[in-house]
């Protein structure tokens, strides 16, 4: 039997974390366009190679979350991406949800799809080298009206069904209930919403008999909304984030990873360092690390611009940020 707890724990080796490189075709196209890179399957492959093919990433990465098409593609070294990652001791994983759609009971909110046919897709992904998976739900804050309890419950049920299927298939599930940073809300409101989201999630996971010890939680940090006009100090973020997690995440959970959520690379690095320091002070029961997409990629993409001659400088920018974020996990 696969040692799922052992795999889940292995993501948290000291100074290592996860690169989220699982942008869907739609998101990757929009992301590349914002840096002036034309859309094509080949440009997406080169985009992945920029990060996955960078030398020495194994010093800082324990895992990479891929989009399904990347599992089947080769890097410029002519090796399949999963094979190349495994050869460097990095675990390949895959995003298995199929994105969001408006929630019929509350159309200003989102619900995540992808449960139909999931067991069959998981078998394929496992054959293609994936050892872990991710499912993201999206929770939007709007004043005191959103999120609705119905959306929180429906998203939690889908995360729980997903987690159960993934554990049955012998892979580790990352559960990502992302509470969006976008909005005018206060940090106190973000804290209340993240608390409620996690409380509901863990109670539904128990109903579905999901093994807590082999799930990884991927969460937002507790931050004031991006349009609130308030800039939180790293200590404020760390205090509120740890208080929220301590109150709502069972100690058996194998570990917690953070998304960057649209923070700048510097903010996401400083906030993570403060969170790591606070976790040590209070003796938090789970290991913590990063699982960033934008904060790790942004600086490199603005150097790369889709041009081959810029690859070495873009990779240097990526490695520089990756080293800073890795150092932040140590506090
Ligand atoms: P960001 O770090 O850009 O928020 O992305 C993380 C992620 O995996 C979103 O699903």
């Amino acid at each position: 039997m696969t040692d799922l707890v052992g795999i889940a724990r292995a993501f948290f080796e000291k100074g290592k974390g996860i690169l989220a490189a699982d942008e869907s075709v739609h998101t990757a196209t929009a992301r590349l366009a914002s840096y002036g890179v034309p859309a094509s399957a080949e440009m997406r492959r080169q985009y992945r190679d920029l990060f996955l093919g960078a030398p020495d990433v194994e010093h800082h990465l324990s895992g990479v979350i891929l989009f399904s098409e990347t599992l089947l593609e080769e890097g410029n070294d002519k090796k399949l991406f999963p094979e190349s990652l495994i050869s460097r001791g990095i675990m390949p994983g895959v995003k298995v949800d199929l994105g969001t759609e408006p929630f019929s009971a509350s159309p200003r909110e989102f619900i995540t799809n992808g449960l139909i046919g999931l067991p069959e897709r998981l078998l394929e992904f496992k054959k293609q080298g994936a050892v872990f998976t991710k499912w993201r739900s999206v929770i939007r804050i709007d004043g005191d009206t959103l999120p609705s309890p119905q959306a929180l419950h429906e998203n939690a049920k889908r995360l729980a069904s997903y987690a159960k299927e993934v554990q049955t298939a012998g892979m580790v599930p990352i559960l990502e209930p992302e509470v969006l940073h976008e909005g005018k809300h206060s940090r106190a409101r973000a804290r209340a919403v993240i608390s409620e989201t996690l409380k509901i999630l863990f109670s539904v996971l128990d109903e579905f008999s999901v093994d807590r010890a082999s799930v990884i939680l991927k969460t937002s940090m507790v931050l004031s909304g991006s349009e609130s006009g308030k800039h939180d100090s790293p200590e404020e973020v760390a205090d509120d984030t740890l208080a929220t997690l301590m109150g709502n995440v069972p100690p058996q959970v194998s570990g917690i990873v953070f998304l960057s959520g649209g923070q700048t690379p510097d903010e996401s690095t400083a906030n993570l360092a403060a969170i790591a320091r606070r976790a040590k002070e209070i003796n938090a029961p789970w290991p913590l690390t990063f699982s960033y997409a934008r904060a790790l990629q942004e600086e490199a993409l603005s150097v790369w611009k889709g041009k081959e001659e810029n690859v070495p400088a873009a990779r240097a920018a990526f490695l520089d940020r990756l080293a800073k974020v890795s150092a932040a996990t140590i506090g």
Side-chain angles (χ1 to χ4, degrees):
M1 239 183 81
T2 321
D3 173 19
L4 294 185
V5 177
I7 295 173
R9 290 270 166 186
F11 287 100
F12 298 89
E13 200 180 310
K14 195 170 177 201
K16 292 190 181 181
I18 300 173
L19 168 68
D22 61 334
E23 297 80 5
S24 63
V25 171
H26 178 80
T27 304
T29 302
R31 183 83 32 94
L32 292 180
S34 72
Y35 294 94
V37 182
S40 67
E42 173 54 18
M43 286 318 288
R44 284 198 302 278
R45 193 197 63 77
Q46 288 188 32
Y47 160 49
R48 304 312 187 183
D49 191 75
L50 178 69
F51 295 98
L52 308 184
D56 298 331
V57 285
E58 63 273 20
H59 298 156
H60 305 298
L61 292 181
S62 50
V64 177
I65 315 171
L66 303 169
F67 186 61
S68 50
E69 75 173 351
T70 313
L71 281 172
L72 299 169
E73 287 175 339
E74 288 179 355
N76 292 347
D77 63 359
K78 298 287 169 225
K79 280 188 191 163
L80 288 163
F81 281 118
E83 187 193 327
S84 157
L85 291 170
I86 291 168
S87 74
R88 287 173 286 157
I90 302 171
M91 293 182 275
V94 61
K95 168 189 170 79
V96 303
D97 68 72
L98 298 177
T100 60
E101 66 176 11
F103 180 35
S104 55
S106 172
R108 292 166 61 227
E109 296 183 276
F110 303 101
I111 200 78
T112 302
N113 285 324
L115 290 174
I116 297 167
L118 181 60
E120 293 76 19
R121 289 193 294 124
L122 291 176
L123 288 179
E124 282 303 303
F125 293 146
K126 200 174 176 188
K127 271 192 231 150
Q128 293 160 6
V131 297
F132 73 102
T133 64
K134 182 188 104 171
W135 178 288
R136 172 177 179 254
S137 49
V138 177
I139 291 127
R140 191 176 144 216
I141 303 179
D142 186 6
D144 289 331
T145 55
L146 296 186
S148 67
Q150 293 89 330
L152 290 181
H153 274 99
E154 186 57 30
N155 273 310
K157 275 199 227 160
R158 294 186 185 200
L159 276 162
S161 306
Y162 142 81
K164 189 73 195 166
E165 294 290 2
V166 172
Q167 289 178 339
T168 304
M171 290 188 274
V172 168
I174 295 186
L175 282 64
E176 183 184 17
E178 176 173 0
V179 175
L180 295 176
H181 180 32
E182 286 80 30
K184 297 193 172 83
H185 51 273
S186 64
R187 194 173 71 251
R189 176 75 179 136
R191 178 172 162 169
V193 170
I194 296 175
S195 293
E196 190 60 15
T197 301
L198 295 176
K199 191 173 286 138
I200 293 171
L201 175 62
F202 283 101
S203 101
V204 177
L205 289 179
D206 284 349
E207 280 169 35
F208 281 69
S209 311
V210 172
D211 173 25
R212 293 169 166 188
S214 62
V215 298
I216 293 174
L217 173 69
K218 177 160 176 167
T219 182
S220 310
M221 296 177 188
V222 176
L223 302 163
S224 301
S226 57
E227 294 139 44
S228 66
K230 168 88 171 63
H231 186 78
D232 311 302
S233 72
E235 288 67 33
E236 288 172 329
V237 174
D239 282 2
D240 277 7
T241 300
L242 261 306
T244 304
L245 297 175
M246 290 298 282
N248 297 288
V249 182
Q252 299 86 358
V253 165
S254 63
I256 299 176
V257 298
F258 293 95
L259 58 99
S260 61
Q263 302 176 70
T264 65
D266 280 340
E267 282 165 356
S268 73
T269 308
N271 287 336
L272 184 63
I275 287 172
R277 283 194 296 273
R278 184 85 188 116
K280 248 189 244 167
E281 277 165 21
I282 62 168
N283 221 348
W286 350 257
L288 306 172
T289 192
F290 59 89
S291 174
Y292 292 170
R294 282 166 287 178
L296 282 174
Q297 297 181 14
E298 222 169 271
E299 292 151 314
L301 287 175
S302 61
V303 173
W304 179 47
K305 300 192 186 77
K307 298 203 166 72
E308 199 177 331
E309 64 270 26
N310 295 337
V311 167
R315 283 181 169 166
F318 168 51
L319 287 168
D320 183 54
R321 178 56 57 185
L322 184 58
K324 287 179 182 153
V325 173
S326 299
T329 64
I330 297 164

